[in-house]
Amino acid sequence: QSALTQPASVSGSPGQSITISCTGTSSDVGTYNLVSWYQQHPGKAPKVMIYEGSKRPSGVSNRFSGSKSGNTASLTISGLQAEDEADYYCCSYGPISTVLFGGGTKVTVL
Amino acid sequence: EVQLVESGGGLVQPGGSLRLSCAASGFTVSSNYMSWVRQAPGKGLEWVSVIYSGGATYHVDSVKGRFTISRDTSKNTLYLQMSSLRPEDTAVYYCARNLPPDYWGQGSLVTVYS
């Protein structure tokens, strides 16, 4: 039950776009179109930003978008804003009814 | 409105037991997949356990045989019974709806100290 692989940190200036990758295997990300992305501010519970790979919940800004290619899912934040500074986690359904999380990516707005 | 409220966390010595509760409102626990996810201090998220709507349960390898997930349909509440606790089980425990989760509780801190 290995975790999904994310970069430890990504940074960008206000207004720029950044992309966070989430690499799994053909047994999880590559098989299931059930990747979610979460935003977590310090001391707070995670908040879903993208579900089923590319769908946005009601109330989430359209600056957040998700995609998948093969065994890698991606989260793109366009028009970066100060409030986007947070930790981001990907999550995928996995084999034998398991759930895998990425190690998390700290997004810094310069 | 969907709400999840955890309780039952606290301090416990290694080898001890603790039961977490998660009271749900705005939906029916037994009709959904329900999970527990934990986050050790300064670390990332780790899925712990799931109970499917049909009642089947699964746990991450590190807690198998020690943790049990269950639910009470009359109380619309999810539980996590934790026994033989270890220092590495220290974390904030979140209950969450669905897989992958769509709604999360606010978390309950469990500290296993020696």
Short mmCIF file of all heavy atoms in Angstrom, two decimals, chain B residues 2 6 10-11 16 19 22 28 33-34 36 38 42-43 48 50 54-55 59 63 70-71 75 93 96-98 109:
data_model
loop_
_atom_site.label_atom_id
_atom_site.label_comp_id
_atom_site.label_asym_id
_atom_site.label_seq_id
_atom_site.Cartn_x
_atom_site.Cartn_y
_atom_site.Cartn_z
N VAL B 2 -24.65 18.48 5.17
CA VAL B 2 -23.85 17.36 5.67
C VAL B 2 -22.91 17.83 6.76
O VAL B 2 -22.19 18.81 6.58
CB VAL B 2 -23.04 16.72 4.52
CG1 VAL B 2 -22.05 15.70 5.06
CG2 VAL B 2 -23.97 16.09 3.50
N GLU B 6 -16.63 14.49 15.17
CA GLU B 6 -15.90 13.44 15.89
C GLU B 6 -15.80 13.77 17.37
O GLU B 6 -15.82 14.93 17.78
CB GLU B 6 -14.48 13.28 15.34
CG GLU B 6 -14.37 12.87 13.89
CD GLU B 6 -14.12 14.05 12.98
OE1 GLU B 6 -14.48 15.19 13.38
OE2 GLU B 6 -13.59 13.87 11.88
N GLY B 10 -8.12 11.68 22.88
CA GLY B 10 -7.51 12.02 24.15
C GLY B 10 -6.15 11.39 24.31
O GLY B 10 -5.54 10.93 23.34
N LEU B 11 -5.68 11.38 25.56
CA LEU B 11 -4.38 10.82 25.89
C LEU B 11 -4.54 9.38 26.35
O LEU B 11 -5.44 9.07 27.12
CB LEU B 11 -3.73 11.63 27.01
CG LEU B 11 -3.39 13.10 26.73
CD1 LEU B 11 -2.95 13.80 28.00
CD2 LEU B 11 -2.31 13.20 25.67
N GLY B 16 -2.99 0.77 25.40
CA GLY B 16 -4.34 1.12 25.82
C GLY B 16 -5.34 1.12 24.68
O GLY B 16 -5.00 0.83 23.53
N ARG B 19 -12.09 4.66 21.95
CA ARG B 19 -13.10 4.56 20.90
C ARG B 19 -13.47 5.96 20.42
O ARG B 19 -13.89 6.81 21.19
CB ARG B 19 -14.36 3.84 21.38
CG ARG B 19 -15.33 3.55 20.23
CD ARG B 19 -16.58 2.82 20.67
NE ARG B 19 -17.57 3.73 21.29
CZ ARG B 19 -18.86 3.44 21.40
NH1 ARG B 19 -19.32 2.29 20.93
NH2 ARG B 19 -19.69 4.28 21.99
N CYS B 22 -18.20 9.35 15.53
CA CYS B 22 -18.43 10.37 14.50
C CYS B 22 -19.93 10.45 14.26
O CYS B 22 -20.52 9.57 13.64
CB CYS B 22 -17.70 9.99 13.22
SG CYS B 22 -18.07 11.07 11.82
N THR B 28 -27.47 9.63 5.55
CA THR B 28 -27.56 8.38 6.29
C THR B 28 -26.24 7.62 6.21
O THR B 28 -25.79 7.25 5.11
CB THR B 28 -28.70 7.50 5.74
OG1 THR B 28 -29.94 8.23 5.83
CG2 THR B 28 -28.83 6.21 6.53
N TYR B 33 -20.36 4.86 1.93
CA TYR B 33 -19.08 4.36 2.39
C TYR B 33 -18.57 5.38 3.41
O TYR B 33 -18.60 6.58 3.15
CB TYR B 33 -18.06 4.30 1.25
CG TYR B 33 -18.40 3.38 0.11
CD1 TYR B 33 -17.58 3.34 -1.03
CD2 TYR B 33 -19.51 2.54 0.13
CE1 TYR B 33 -17.86 2.49 -2.08
CE2 TYR B 33 -19.79 1.68 -0.93
CZ TYR B 33 -18.96 1.67 -2.03
OH TYR B 33 -19.24 0.83 -3.08
N MET B 34 -18.10 4.91 4.55
CA MET B 34 -17.59 5.80 5.58
C MET B 34 -16.17 5.39 5.94
O MET B 34 -15.88 4.19 6.09
CB MET B 34 -18.48 5.74 6.83
CG MET B 34 -19.91 6.21 6.61
SD MET B 34 -20.04 7.94 6.18
CE MET B 34 -19.37 8.75 7.63
N TRP B 36 -12.23 6.36 8.05
CA TRP B 36 -11.40 7.09 9.00
C TRP B 36 -10.07 7.36 8.32
O TRP B 36 -9.49 6.46 7.69
CB TRP B 36 -11.19 6.30 10.28
CG TRP B 36 -12.41 6.22 11.13
CD1 TRP B 36 -13.32 5.20 11.18
CD2 TRP B 36 -12.87 7.21 12.08
NE1 TRP B 36 -14.31 5.49 12.09
CE2 TRP B 36 -14.06 6.70 12.65
CE3 TRP B 36 -12.40 8.44 12.51
CZ2 TRP B 36 -14.79 7.41 13.62
CZ3 TRP B 36 -13.12 9.15 13.46
CH2 TRP B 36 -14.29 8.62 14.02
N ARG B 38 -6.27 9.45 9.10
CA ARG B 38 -5.51 10.09 10.18
C ARG B 38 -4.36 10.91 9.63
O ARG B 38 -3.93 10.72 8.50
CB ARG B 38 -5.01 9.05 11.18
CG ARG B 38 -3.97 8.09 10.64
CD ARG B 38 -3.62 7.04 11.70
NE ARG B 38 -2.65 6.07 11.22
CZ ARG B 38 -2.24 5.02 11.93
NH1 ARG B 38 -2.72 4.80 13.16
NH2 ARG B 38 -1.34 4.18 11.42
N GLY B 42 2.45 17.07 11.75
CA GLY B 42 3.38 17.51 10.73
C GLY B 42 3.51 16.59 9.53
O GLY B 42 4.39 16.80 8.69
N LYS B 43 2.66 15.58 9.45
CA LYS B 43 2.74 14.59 8.36
C LYS B 43 1.53 14.68 7.44
O LYS B 43 0.65 15.51 7.62
CB LYS B 43 2.86 13.18 8.95
CG LYS B 43 4.05 12.99 9.88
CD LYS B 43 5.37 13.18 9.16
CE LYS B 43 6.54 12.89 10.09
NZ LYS B 43 7.85 13.11 9.41
N VAL B 48 -7.16 4.96 7.01
CA VAL B 48 -7.07 3.95 8.06
C VAL B 48 -8.06 2.80 7.85
O VAL B 48 -7.69 1.64 7.83
CB VAL B 48 -7.30 4.58 9.45
CG1 VAL B 48 -7.32 3.51 10.54
CG2 VAL B 48 -6.25 5.63 9.74
N VAL B 50 -12.33 1.63 6.30
CA VAL B 50 -13.56 1.94 5.59
C VAL B 50 -14.61 0.90 5.94
O VAL B 50 -14.29 -0.27 6.17
CB VAL B 50 -13.35 1.98 4.06
CG1 VAL B 50 -12.89 0.62 3.53
CG2 VAL B 50 -14.61 2.44 3.35
N GLY B 54 -22.75 -1.96 2.44
CA GLY B 54 -23.17 -3.33 2.66
C GLY B 54 -22.65 -3.95 3.95
O GLY B 54 -23.09 -5.04 4.34
N GLY B 55 -21.73 -3.24 4.61
CA GLY B 55 -21.21 -3.69 5.89
C GLY B 55 -19.79 -4.23 5.86
O GLY B 55 -19.18 -4.42 6.92
N HIS B 59 -9.12 -2.36 6.46
CA HIS B 59 -8.22 -1.54 7.24
C HIS B 59 -6.85 -1.53 6.58
O HIS B 59 -6.46 -2.49 5.89
CB HIS B 59 -8.07 -2.11 8.65
CG HIS B 59 -9.38 -2.26 9.38
ND1 HIS B 59 -9.93 -1.26 10.13
CD2 HIS B 59 -10.24 -3.30 9.46
CE1 HIS B 59 -11.08 -1.66 10.64
NE2 HIS B 59 -11.29 -2.91 10.25
N VAL B 63 -2.89 -1.28 11.00
CA VAL B 63 -3.86 -1.31 12.11
C VAL B 63 -4.69 -2.59 12.12
O VAL B 63 -5.53 -2.77 13.02
CB VAL B 63 -4.79 -0.09 12.08
CG1 VAL B 63 -4.00 1.21 12.00
CG2 VAL B 63 -5.82 -0.18 10.96
N SER B 70 -16.96 0.45 12.80
CA SER B 70 -18.35 -0.02 12.89
C SER B 70 -19.29 1.17 12.81
O SER B 70 -18.85 2.33 12.79
CB SER B 70 -18.57 -0.79 14.19
OG SER B 70 -18.39 0.07 15.31
N ARG B 71 -20.57 0.89 12.79
CA ARG B 71 -21.56 1.97 12.74
C ARG B 71 -22.80 1.57 13.51
O ARG B 71 -23.07 0.39 13.71
CB ARG B 71 -21.93 2.27 11.27
CG ARG B 71 -22.65 1.11 10.58
CD ARG B 71 -22.73 1.29 9.09
NE ARG B 71 -23.43 0.15 8.48
CZ ARG B 71 -23.35 -0.17 7.20
NH1 ARG B 71 -22.58 0.56 6.38
NH2 ARG B 71 -24.02 -1.20 6.73
N LYS B 75 -28.29 5.50 15.62
CA LYS B 75 -27.69 6.77 16.06
C LYS B 75 -27.05 7.53 14.90
O LYS B 75 -26.53 8.64 15.09
CB LYS B 75 -26.65 6.52 17.15
CG LYS B 75 -27.23 5.94 18.43
CD LYS B 75 -26.15 5.73 19.48
CE LYS B 75 -26.75 5.18 20.78
NZ LYS B 75 -25.72 4.94 21.82
N TYR B 93 -7.49 12.18 13.97
CA TYR B 93 -8.31 11.22 13.25
C TYR B 93 -9.55 11.92 12.71
O TYR B 93 -10.31 12.53 13.46
CB TYR B 93 -8.71 10.05 14.16
CG TYR B 93 -7.57 9.09 14.41
CD1 TYR B 93 -6.51 9.44 15.25
CD2 TYR B 93 -7.53 7.85 13.78
CE1 TYR B 93 -5.45 8.58 15.47
CE2 TYR B 93 -6.47 6.97 13.99
CZ TYR B 93 -5.43 7.35 14.83
OH TYR B 93 -4.38 6.49 15.03
N ALA B 96 -14.80 10.56 7.51
CA ALA B 96 -15.08 11.11 6.20
C ALA B 96 -16.13 10.26 5.49
O ALA B 96 -16.22 9.05 5.72
CB ALA B 96 -13.80 11.16 5.38
N ARG B 97 -16.88 10.92 4.62
CA ARG B 97 -17.89 10.21 3.85
C ARG B 97 -17.35 9.89 2.47
O ARG B 97 -16.68 10.72 1.85
CB ARG B 97 -19.16 11.07 3.71
CG ARG B 97 -20.34 10.34 3.09
CD ARG B 97 -21.53 11.24 2.89
NE ARG B 97 -21.36 12.09 1.71
CZ ARG B 97 -22.34 12.80 1.16
NH1 ARG B 97 -23.55 12.76 1.70
NH2 ARG B 97 -22.12 13.55 0.11
N ASN B 98 -17.65 8.68 1.98
CA ASN B 98 -17.34 8.22 0.63
C ASN B 98 -15.86 7.96 0.39
O ASN B 98 -14.98 8.31 1.18
CB ASN B 98 -17.89 9.18 -0.42
CG ASN B 98 -19.39 9.02 -0.59
OD1 ASN B 98 -19.94 7.95 -0.31
ND2 ASN B 98 -20.06 10.06 -1.03
N LEU B 109 -8.06 14.49 18.12
CA LEU B 109 -6.65 14.19 18.39
C LEU B 109 -6.50 13.02 19.34
O LEU B 109 -7.10 13.00 20.43
CB LEU B 109 -5.95 15.42 18.97
CG LEU B 109 -4.49 15.25 19.37
CD1 LEU B 109 -3.63 14.89 18.15
CD2 LEU B 109 -3.96 16.53 20.04
#
